[in-house]
Amino acid sequence: MASDDPHQYLQNADCIYDENQVKEAIATLAKTLNADYKSEQPIVLSVMNGAIYFAGHLLPSLTFPLIHDYVHATRYRQDVLGKDIVWLVAPKPSIKHKSVLIIDDILDEGITLKAIVDKCYEMGAEDVKTVVLAEKTLNKSKVIAADYVGLNVPDRYVFGCGMDVYGWWRNLPQIYALKST
C-alpha cells in the first residue's frame, strides 16, 4: 500500500547493492558492450522512465558510435503491481533495418521488455539486444532473457538506480529491496 511519506519505504527496506557495486556493474557492462559493438552503429533505446539513471551512467562509457532515442512502455504506472502494457512512446520508424540495443532498468517477468523487443522486430529492426541493470531472480521462467545483465536482485520489490517505489526514489545511487509490500 502506498505511503504519503516516501521515507517510510527506506525504513522498510534493505540495501541490496551499494553505490560502488552499482558503478562496478555498469563499468563491466560498458566494457562488454564496447567489445561486442566495436564495429556496430546501433540505435540505442532507453526505456523510460526506469532506464534514465542507468542510461545516464552507461552511455558516457560507450565508445562505439550510436544514435540514442527512447521508448516509453509501462505496466506499473506508479504502482508495485504490473497491469496491461501502455505505449506512451513507441519506437520510431528509423529502426528499420538497424541494429537496436534496448537499455532497461530491470528484467522482472519480462513482459514489458518482450513487448518492446517484439515491437522493434515488427517495425523492421534487423537485430535487437537488451541490456538491463538488474535482473530479478524468480522461481518461474520469464518470457524473455536479457542479453546483458549487470546485477541479480532477489524476488522482492526493488527500487533505486532508476527503479521506483510508488513513483519515489528513482534517484538513489543504491538498490534497495522492500521488506514487505
Side-chain angles (χ1 to χ4, degrees):
M1 178 173 275
S3 170
D4 292 335
D5 180 9
H7 295 285
Q8 286 185 355
Y9 300 120
L10 281 177
Q11 294 165 0
N12 187 37
D14 299 309
C15 183
I16 303 300
Y17 291 104
D18 65 30
E19 184 175 1
N20 287 332
Q21 291 170 307
V22 171
K23 285 180 179 179
E24 284 178 27
I26 294 171
T28 299
L29 284 170
K31 183 178 179 181
T32 302
L33 290 168
N34 286 332
D36 290 356
Y37 281 86
K38 66 183 173 195
S39 60
E40 303 255 351
Q41 298 176 13
I43 294 179
V44 176
L45 300 176
S46 296
V47 181
M48 295 294 117
N49 284 325
I52 199 164
Y53 181 97
F54 180 33
H57 286 81
L58 179 65
L59 289 172
S61 298
L62 300 180
T63 57
F64 51 88
L66 60 87
I67 294 173
H68 181 259
D69 206 346
Y70 72 99
V71 295
H72 196 165
T74 183
R75 290 181 54 229
Y76 291 90
R77 299 184 284 287
Q78 296 188 354
D79 200 348
V80 294
L81 298 173
K83 299 173 179 74
D84 293 332
I85 292 173
V86 174
W87 282 97
L88 302 174
V89 178
K92 293 184 178 66
S94 60
I95 67 169
K96 189 171 186 173
H97 305 299
K98 303 287 185 185
S99 174
V100 175
L101 176 64
I102 299 169
I103 299 176
D104 206 357
D105 56 353
I106 186 167
L107 175 60
D108 194 327
E109 294 178 7
I111 296 167
T112 305
L113 191 57
K114 183 175 184 333
I116 295 167
V117 168
D118 289 349
K119 184 76 163 174
C120 288
Y121 278 123
E122 177 185 307
M123 295 180 70
E126 184 176 300
D127 181 58
V128 182
K129 298 279 191 249
T130 58
V131 57
V132 296
L133 176 58
E135 180 173 3
K136 190 175 283 188
T137 303
L138 300 177
N139 290 326
K140 60 182 179 178
S141 61
K142 299 175 185 185
V143 296
I144 192 170
D147 297 290
Y148 305 92
V149 177
L151 300 163
N152 290 298
V153 296
D155 188 9
R156 292 165 56 190
Y157 196 88
V158 294
F159 61 97
C161 297
M163 298 167 278
D164 74 292
V165 56
Y166 294 108
W168 299 102
W169 296 121
R170 288 186 192 275
N171 55 306
L172 294 173
Q174 308 88 3
I175 298 176
Y176 289 85
L178 288 179
K179 293 177 183 170
S180 62
T181 53

